[in-house]
Amino acid sequence: MLRNLISAAAVAATALVALPQAGAQQYPSRPITVVVPFAAGGPTDTVARSVADAMTKAMPGANIVVENAAGAGGTIGVGKVARANPDGYTLLVFHIGMATAPALYRKLQYDPLKDFEYVGLINDVPMTLLVKNGFPAKSVKEMVAYVKQHPDKVTLANAGIGSASHLCGLLFQSAIGQELVTVPYKGTAPALADLMGGQVDILCDQTTNTTPQIKAGKVTALAVTSPARLESLPDLPTMAESGYPGFDVSIWHGMYAPKGTPKPVLDKLVATLQQALKDPGLNKRFAELGAQTASSQRATPDGLRKHLAAEIDRWSPVIKKAGVYAD
Ligand code: ASP
């Protein structure tokens, strides 16, 4: 009897130990959801969908789908992933907002440095400063002169507090010493649509969203926010060339999983992301949209965690100095 009990307990213990491993071997056995905390069709969505496709190709049996959970500058979707079951079936793709939200939100529902596992950095993406076609300015200098003459008439779109467009807009307003009337959206896909429709005047957004519209002449680009001009938009001057040296906003995207995701599952995701980032189709698409794919050293849990921590340290004082908060 005692022997039977002991061997039953031993079998149960072995099963318990073996479970996560077996789970990892079978992983994924159902669709994986990548949450994008902004509207569909925007820059974060574009990056997430491109990576999800390349990862689906790289992981036999995988089906990776994207879900948009937009609102509050991305913080709603991020909170959803922080609270999700840590089983590898809910992931997050988010940008620099992961680093800026702690300084911007008084009541954040998650801690970016405690509530997540890190899969890896995906890419770096510069931003472009745009005005609607027909806006009476063909350069940053002319635009600033106009804005200063008509401060109540000119509107600046963004994707909510903590979004990349909000951050870029904040830096721009502080650089020119002029506050603008801002119009928040659930992502820069709807913001860009309104800029093309002439309902708002100015938008600063990632090249992954704006490049096709700039090339099609549907919006007027005035400058790029990276220190050097881009190969994908060679005629566009930098903000430094336009009279604002040191204006450098580069957005980066990373992939996260909820804290407690089993290590074997995480290892599988890291290897798959690394492979996906070598996909020639993905790299061609990123290059066309002005994005720079992360190196294999940065596309790692450690690469993302270190970059996130450094970006929190870099942006928190800037945001605090700007004195912008949200509840
Ligand atoms: N580009 C947006 C932002 O301002 C996010 C998005 O719509 O993907 O953060």
Side-chain angles (χ1 to χ4, degrees):
M1 174 70 179
L2 184 63
R3 241 181 87 190
N4 278 353
L5 269 182
I6 290 170
S7 57
V11 169
T14 318
L16 272 180
V17 172
L19 249 184
Q21 202 50 43
Q25 269 155 22
Q26 285 156 15
Y27 175 82
S29 58
R30 57 189 168 88
I32 300 170
T33 301
V34 171
V35 172
V36 167
F38 290 109
T44 314
D45 186 68
T46 299
V47 167
R49 282 177 202 272
S50 309
V51 171
D53 286 351
M55 283 179 76
T56 298
K57 251 174 50 192
M59 186 163 19
N63 176 17
I64 307 181
V65 294
V66 168
E67 180 192 313
N68 299 88
T75 57
I76 290 177
V78 182
K80 190 173 168 180
V81 177
R83 293 185 299 274
N85 205 354
D87 55 6
Y89 290 98
T90 309
L91 307 174
L92 169 75
V93 167
F94 193 24
H95 60 33
I96 191 170
M98 198 73 167
T100 55
L104 284 163
Y105 282 82
R106 277 189 246 254
K107 285 183 237 144
L108 201 58
Q109 305 295 327
Y110 54 86
D111 183 334
L113 291 173
K114 290 197 183 130
D115 296 341
F116 297 90
E117 306 290 348
Y118 307 96
V119 182
L121 262 167
I122 296 172
N123 61 14
D124 296 286
V125 188
M127 302 188 87
T128 46
L129 186 63
L130 312 175
V131 289
K132 68 179 181 189
N133 282 351
F135 190 87
K138 289 277 167 280
S139 65
V140 176
K141 201 170 159 218
E142 287 175 18
M143 188 256 252
V144 173
Y146 184 83
V147 158
K148 292 206 168 187
Q149 274 161 17
H150 310 275
D152 303 331
K153 257 178 70 183
V154 180
T155 49
L156 170 69
N158 68 32
I161 291 191
S163 63
S165 42
H166 173 238
L167 187 68
C168 183
L170 273 186
L171 288 184
F172 181 65
Q173 291 170 88
S174 116
I176 69 171
Q178 177 69 58
E179 264 189 49
L180 295 168
V181 180
T182 53
V183 185
Y185 290 82
K186 286 202 166 178
T188 44
L192 187 60
D194 268 11
L195 190 79
M196 290 190 286
Q199 284 88 357
V200 282
D201 299 310
I202 308 173
L203 171 67
C204 184
D205 197 24
Q206 287 109 293
T207 54
T208 31
N209 201 29
T210 63
T211 306
Q213 313 305 348
I214 295 170
K215 289 194 166 162
K218 293 188 180 162
V219 288
T220 307
L222 301 182
V224 62
T225 63
S226 50
R229 286 193 184 209
L230 301 179
E231 255 173 56
S232 47
L233 295 166
D235 298 332
L236 196 59
T238 63
M239 282 298 284
E241 286 174 64
S242 310
Y244 297 94
F247 194 104
D248 174 12
V249 201
S250 203
I251 301 315
W252 45 272
H253 294 91
M255 180 174 275
Y256 306 80
K259 187 82 189 171
T261 302
K263 173 113 179 22
V265 168
L266 208 60
D267 289 348
K268 205 161 187 175
L269 286 168
V270 175
T272 308
L273 176 66
Q274 291 251 347
Q275 204 177 323
L277 293 184
K278 291 191 188 113
D279 184 304
L282 180 81
N283 278 289
K284 186 167 172 273
R285 178 146 175 74
F286 276 179
E288 283 164 0
L289 297 175
Q292 169 109 40
T293 310
S295 66
S296 44
Q297 284 87 345
R298 295 175 79 220
T300 57
D302 209 39
L304 176 55
R305 195 185 42 75
K306 280 197 180 129
H307 190 68
L308 172 66
E311 286 283 277
I312 291 176
D313 288 349
R314 177 177 170 220
W315 287 106
S316 297
V318 177
I319 293 163
K320 291 213 166 103
K321 199 167 154 219
V324 199
Y325 294 102
D327 287 318

